[in-house]
Amino acid sequence: GESVGLHLPTLSVQEGDNSIINCAYSNSASDYFIWYKQESGKGPQFIIDIRSNMDKRQGQRVTVLLNKTVKHLSLQIAATQPGDSAVYFCAEISNAGGTSYGKLTFGQGTILTVHP
Amino acid sequence: ETGVTQTPRHLVMGMTNKKSLKCEQHLGHNAMYWYKQSAKKPLELMFVYNFKEQTENNSVPSRFSPECPNSSHLFLHLHTLQPEDSALYLCASSQDLGLSYGYTFGSGTRLTVV
């Protein structure tokens, strides 16, 4: 079936470094992608999103890159801080119809640990 | 707070018990969802409600019974659960179904079945 998956389950960085979290997706009908951050004891929180007609979107310290050719999504966090330590999920929504219509499908998650 | 409130935060129940999880949102959203989050697994969609009507049951066992009395409230009734049902149960809402809107999640109910 269609899935959204992550290349690396864990990532450890030093405070101040830039972090890159990757995600691969298989549904070619995916047209909206979201990155979520989940801290311990909390639900996933929205970080940034991107639509399929874009290849880059920037937020505050975060950038999402979308490569539709290879179905790859990445989240870049600049000047990573200890408060960024969490599990990061990519997710996608397809509006192409069928059983996946309108449903948010999640990847497995990457654990980001930031060392002071 | 995200605007989606889940209670209780933690629940321990025996396999013969009956309990209910509650989710409430006052964001004016029309769609609500139940997700199950188990260790080392992606979030699994369980149920979808849109304008109080169930639009999706993702092959969930009948020991999980959802209820949506209005667009602001969603319940998950539990009975005769198994230990493997222990997980974090997340509720989410979105403005509408099928559009490119992100979801707002609650903090979840950590369920332990003993």
Side-chain angles (χ1 to χ4, degrees):
Chain A
E2 292 155 346
S3 65
V4 181
L6 294 172
H7 292 283
L8 299 174
T10 61
L11 178 63
S12 293
V13 300
Q14 290 296 128
E15 182 177 2
D17 287 352
N18 296 333
S19 301
I20 300 176
I21 301 172
N22 296 302
C23 178
Y25 65 94
S26 59
N27 184 358
S28 57
S30 300
D31 57 3
Y32 181 56
F33 302 87
I34 310 170
W35 280 101
Y36 283 91
K37 172 186 180 183
Q38 186 174 22
E39 297 174 278
S40 180
K42 296 183 179 180
Q45 293 177 283
F46 174 93
I47 302 174
I48 192 168
D49 59 358
I50 189 167
R51 298 184 187 275
S52 59
N53 61 352
M54 305 170 67
D55 53 21
K56 181 179 180 179
R57 189 154 190 240
Q58 287 185 294
Q60 188 175 18
R61 284 200 306 118
V62 294
T63 300
V64 55
L65 299 177
L66 175 62
N67 185 331
K68 294 181 288 294
T69 302
V70 295
K71 296 179 188 171
H72 185 267
L73 191 69
S74 68
L75 176 70
Q76 300 178 0
I77 305 174
T80 316
Q81 303 168 358
D84 295 327
S85 295
V87 180
Y88 289 81
F89 296 93
C90 65
E92 60 91 6
I93 292 178
S94 169
N95 288 325
T99 58
S100 63
Y101 179 69
K103 292 191 298 188
L104 196 60
T105 302
F106 284 84
Q108 192 167 359
T110 292
I111 301 171
L112 174 66
T113 303
V114 182
H115 301 283
Chain B
E1 289 297 328
T2 63
V4 178
T5 303
Q6 289 187 244
T7 54
R9 291 296 305 274
H10 300 274
L11 178 63
V12 179
M13 60 185 289
M15 289 189 284
T16 59
N17 291 159
K18 290 185 180 181
K19 296 286 184 183
S20 296
L21 310 185
K22 180 182 178 182
C23 177
E24 185 174 354
Q25 60 91 8
H26 296 289
L27 300 170
H29 289 174
N30 299 313
M32 295 187 78
Y33 313 82
W34 279 117
Y35 276 85
K36 177 183 179 182
Q37 187 174 30
S38 304
K40 300 181 181 180
K41 280 188 175 182
L43 275 77
E44 300 171 67
L45 179 65
M46 299 176 72
F47 300 104
V48 180
Y49 277 81
N50 194 36
F51 290 97
K52 304 188 300 178
E53 298 298 321
Q54 187 180 124
T55 60
E56 178 93 15
N57 177 338
N58 201 24
S59 302
V60 180
S62 59
R63 57 186 183 269
F64 294 91
S65 175
E67 179 189 1
C68 189
N70 54 63
S71 293
S72 298
H73 294 86
L74 185 64
F75 295 89
L76 188 61
H77 303 300
L78 316 171
H79 69 98
T80 60
L81 294 192
Q82 304 298 312
E84 60 265 29
D85 296 321
S86 298
L88 181 68
Y89 288 85
L90 289 161
C91 173
S93 69
S94 64
Q95 183 64 52
D96 284 297
L97 179 66
L99 301 176
S100 295
Y101 296 107
Y103 294 7
T104 301
F105 283 86
S107 296
T109 295
R110 174 69 62 186
L111 174 68
T112 303
V113 182
V114 296

